[in-house]
């Protein structure tokens, strides 16, 4: 087994992936990592020190942590594996999109890079997972995406849902799925209520769907007729 094929321990993998998801190339705080992983700030501080020693992150107490180049490569390798596994579970094993995240969280630590690439070939190298998240390429790069949360849409805009956050609970994903608010769906924004931020969209069949602010922040879109339809300010 080569160094590249050797998996990080589950705990180390969870940390580098968490830093990437929170901050990308930027700096994230101990408290943000603590909240995401549901561990104590003291435990986070200890782990960050260990990760710095092995060259996966740069960490400065009271300032925060960021991934090194090696740490980013390892994070994207895990993200690629996770999203390919989700795609396999939905496409070939009949899982629903609200059930695949936790399953993939477990499996991503148990398979090799060779298995991951064979999975990619079986799936015909998909660009996105079932939730619409872009899948990192085998070379460790990730396509840039210019999408916006539905909470920023304006009334009158015609938009295409491009992804839905898989960090949300299964009930949220099930609700969106049942109402057809899934990646690839084109909807029209009929109303944005200033009082409570509730957004009502209408699908191509003329069915209205109302989403509160929390739900709207979980749905990401691209304008069908240009970025001018995004809310500014």
């Amino acid at each position: 087994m080569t160094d590249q094929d050797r998996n990080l321990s589950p705990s180390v993998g969870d940390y580098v992936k968490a830093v990437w998801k929170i901050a990308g190339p930027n700096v994230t705080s101990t408290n943000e990592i603590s909240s995401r992983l549901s561990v104590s700030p003291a435990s986070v501080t200890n782990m960050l020190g260990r990760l710095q020693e092995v060259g996966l992150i740069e960490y400065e107490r009271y300032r925060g942590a960021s991934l090194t180049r090696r740490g980013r490569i390892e994070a994207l390798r895990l993200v690629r594996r996770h999203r390919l596994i989700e795609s396999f579970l939905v496409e070939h094993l009949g899982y629903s999109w609200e059930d695949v995240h936790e399953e993939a969280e477990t499996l991503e630590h148990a398979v090799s890079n060779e298995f991951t690439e064979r999975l990619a070939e079986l799936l015909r190298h998909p660009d996105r997972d079932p939730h619409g998240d872009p899948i990192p390429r085998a070379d460790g790069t990730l396509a840039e995406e210019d999408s916006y949360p539905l909470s920023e849409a304006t009334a009158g805009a015609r938009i295409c849902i491009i992804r839905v956050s898989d960090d949300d609970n299964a009930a949220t994903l099930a609700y969106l799925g049942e109402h057809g608010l899934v990646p690839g769906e084109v909807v029209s924004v009929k109303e944005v209520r200033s009082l409570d931020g509730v957004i009502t969209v209408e699908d191509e069949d003329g069915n209205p769907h109302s989403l509160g602010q929390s739900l709207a922040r979980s749905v990401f879109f691209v304008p069908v007729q240009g970025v001018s339809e995004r809310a500014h300010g």
Side-chain angles (χ1 to χ4, degrees):
M1 179 180 289
T2 66
D3 288 341
Q4 188 174 13
D5 289 330
R6 189 174 294 113
N7 286 344
L8 301 176
S9 71
S11 58
V12 169
D14 287 343
Y15 269 84
V16 296
K17 197 169 70 167
V19 173
W20 179 81
K21 282 200 166 189
I22 295 168
N26 302 313
V27 176
T28 184
S29 70
T30 299
N31 286 338
E32 287 176 311
I33 300 171
S34 171
S35 177
R36 184 172 188 89
L37 296 178
S38 299
V39 295
S40 70
S43 295
V44 173
T45 298
N46 290 335
M47 178 60 87
L48 292 179
R50 289 171 52 194
L51 297 183
Q52 181 167 244
E53 289 177 1
V54 297
L56 292 171
I57 68 162
E58 294 179 356
Y59 172 58
E60 185 177 334
R61 197 175 179 88
Y62 305 119
R63 180 173 177 270
S66 61
L67 293 172
T68 61
R69 181 178 180 278
R70 181 187 163 209
R72 177 175 170 81
I73 289 172
E74 294 290 356
L76 287 173
R77 184 183 300 171
L78 271 177
V79 171
R80 173 174 171 78
R81 186 179 298 170
H82 180 102
R83 294 177 179 174
L84 285 169
I85 290 171
E86 286 191 340
S87 300
F88 174 77
L89 292 174
V90 169
E91 185 173 333
H92 290 275
L93 297 185
Y95 277 70
S96 62
W97 76 335
E98 65 263 26
D99 293 331
V100 293
H101 181 71
E102 290 304 320
E103 196 79 73
E105 282 286 306
T106 300
L107 291 172
E108 71 185 38
H109 299 296
V111 302
S112 67
N113 289 329
E114 180 180 354
F115 180 92
T116 302
E117 296 317 310
R118 291 193 180 198
L119 198 58
E121 186 173 353
L122 173 69
L123 296 168
R124 301 176 299 280
H125 303 282
D127 295 325
R128 293 180 179 272
D129 73 7
H131 306 102
D133 286 310
I135 298 174
R137 304 181 185 97
D139 63 4
T141 59
L142 182 66
E144 293 187 7
E145 178 183 277
D146 197 15
S147 64
Y148 313 101
L150 184 57
S151 55
E152 294 185 14
T154 55
R158 190 162 179 264
I159 63 177
C160 179
I161 296 172
I162 193 168
R163 66 183 176 92
V164 174
S165 173
D166 64 359
D167 290 331
D168 294 300
N169 59 46
T172 295
L173 291 170
Y175 175 87
L176 293 171
E178 288 169 5
H179 289 78
L181 300 176
V182 297
E185 181 73 8
V186 174
V187 298
S188 299
V189 181
K190 307 307 289 185
E191 181 185 21
V192 179
R193 292 206 311 237
S194 58
L195 179 64
D196 53 13
V198 170
I199 295 177
T200 299
V201 299
E202 184 177 274
D203 61 30
E204 297 287 80
D205 294 325
N207 301 309
H209 307 279
S210 294
L211 297 86
Q213 275 284 300
S214 178
L215 198 54
R217 283 193 291 268
S218 300
V219 178
F220 293 81
F221 74 91
V222 291
V224 171
Q225 298 175 343
V227 295
S228 62
E229 291 180 351
R230 182 198 176 193
H232 295 283

